[in-house]
Amino acid sequence: MKKLFALIAAFLMPLTMFAQRQAGEFSLQPKIGLTFSDVSGIDNTAYKAGIKAGVEAEYMATKWLGVTLGLDYSERGCGFDKFTWGYAYLKGPLEDPGTGQIDDGMYDKELKFWQEDGDGHKVKLSYLSVPVMANFYIYKGLAVKAGVQVDFMLSAKYPRGYKEIFDGQPWDGKYTDIKDRCRKVDVTIPLGLSYEYKRFVLDARYEFGLLDIKDDEIVAKNLSTDGTSYFLEYYLLNGKLKRSSAFTLTLGYRLGL
């Protein structure tokens, strides 16, 4: 019987080895991990993997409530199961590309769409984020967390289709920089769980954006007056990139201050 109790104790001991938190305690936690993100508003999307890295400072308001302020770099966007291309042959520039009004007398209309395998095609987004979180420690090292996050866009790229449109060749792997057509600041709600063991913290979150990535007013101001470019930028991009969402998984190490 003593051996049985000893085995049970040996099994349970790792579960009790967590950092005891105290009110008034400060700590710093560098972390690194992965994002699995998607973007709404586009057909046939798939989750895209990316990198997330950053640091969080935590203050324990009580033994069970911690407040954190962080700074993170993250890669987001989406992949595609199938990617939809489109093209148009036009006689000349549109008179008012900002309004989206098309005059049939100005061009010979030939609009086509087709799909190809989405392998390699991605919407590539990157952000510098400032999350503010409340961590509720509900059982030993287990915490439930919720908060708000401000995201500052660093880059935005979309697969370019000019090669297919003009000569029908396979995708050349190039991307169009669309940052000037996107919202530069997003607001995200992160919800998650974390578990701490011997100062190592495994953190899982779901983050969903509240604002559309594409800004319609910015798009209208930046449209090209070239008819074909107008078609690509307005019809394939405008109104397509909606809200970003991501699952994130990071591993951090808590440093006492």
Side-chain angles (χ1 to χ4, degrees):
M1 184 64 69
K2 290 182 179 179
K3 290 184 178 180
L4 178 60
F5 282 125
L7 288 173
I8 294 174
F11 175 76
L12 293 177
M13 186 175 294
L15 301 179
T16 64
M17 297 181 70
F18 64 96
Q20 295 282 352
R21 315 308 307 280
Q22 301 295 328
E25 174 185 322
F26 282 95
S27 63
L28 197 64
Q29 183 195 146
K31 58 183 179 178
I32 189 168
L34 297 173
T35 63
F36 300 92
S37 58
D38 199 0
V39 175
S40 65
I42 313 176
D43 295 332
N44 303 308
T45 61
Y47 279 97
K48 171 186 172 295
I51 296 172
K52 180 173 183 176
V55 62
E56 279 189 344
E58 182 176 34
Y59 171 72
M60 294 300 298
T62 69
K63 289 185 178 181
W64 55 269
L65 173 61
V67 180
T68 64
L69 176 65
L71 183 66
D72 297 332
Y73 166 80
S74 64
E75 296 175 344
R76 300 187 211 165
C78 67
F80 295 91
D81 292 324
K82 293 288 183 180
F83 193 82
T84 302
W85 290 117
Y87 68 89
Y89 292 113
L90 308 175
K91 275 185 176 179
L94 298 178
E95 191 168 297
D96 188 359
T99 66
Q101 299 298 316
I102 299 177
D103 185 347
D104 288 338
M106 291 188 63
Y107 71 106
D108 291 327
K109 185 177 181 182
E110 185 181 351
L111 309 182
K112 295 184 179 180
F113 293 90
W114 73 94
Q115 286 187 335
E116 64 183 26
D117 192 282
D119 185 39
H121 299 75
K122 295 178 176 67
V123 173
K124 298 180 178 182
L125 309 173
S126 65
Y127 289 90
L128 188 66
S129 303
V130 180
V132 178
M133 305 287 291
N135 299 338
F136 301 92
Y137 290 88
I138 59 176
Y139 179 74
K140 298 181 178 180
L142 182 65
V144 176
K145 50 188 60 186
V148 65
Q149 176 173 296
V150 180
D151 303 307
F152 301 93
M153 177 175 282
L154 299 177
S155 65
K157 296 181 180 180
Y158 194 92
R160 60 182 292 180
Y162 297 98
K163 192 170 183 62
E164 288 81 355
I165 289 168
F166 291 118
D167 58 25
Q169 296 300 311
W171 183 52
D172 57 11
K174 295 182 179 180
Y175 284 81
T176 299
D177 188 335
I178 58 169
K179 182 181 177 182
D180 62 348
R181 293 156 177 78
C182 294
R183 195 180 302 278
K184 302 305 184 294
V185 180
D186 195 2
V187 178
T188 297
I189 300 298
L191 304 171
L193 294 170
S194 69
Y195 183 75
E196 181 174 350
Y197 175 70
K198 291 186 176 181
R199 292 190 173 273
F200 287 96
V201 182
L202 185 65
D203 187 301
R205 300 181 190 181
Y206 175 66
E207 303 174 354
F208 57 95
L210 300 181
L211 304 175
D212 288 352
I213 298 169
K214 295 294 295 181
D215 188 310
D216 290 348
E217 291 184 4
I218 293 177
V219 170
K221 292 177 182 177
N222 286 278
L223 285 173
S224 168
T225 56
D226 173 80
T228 303
S229 296
Y230 170 81
F231 178 84
L232 286 170
E233 293 168 352
Y234 192 82
Y235 287 91
L236 294 186
L237 302 183
N238 185 43
K240 293 293 186 179
L241 301 185
K242 295 294 185 180
R243 298 178 183 181
S244 174
S245 62
F247 293 97
T248 71
L249 184 66
T250 60
L251 180 64
Y253 186 80
R254 189 180 303 282
L255 303 170
L257 298 178

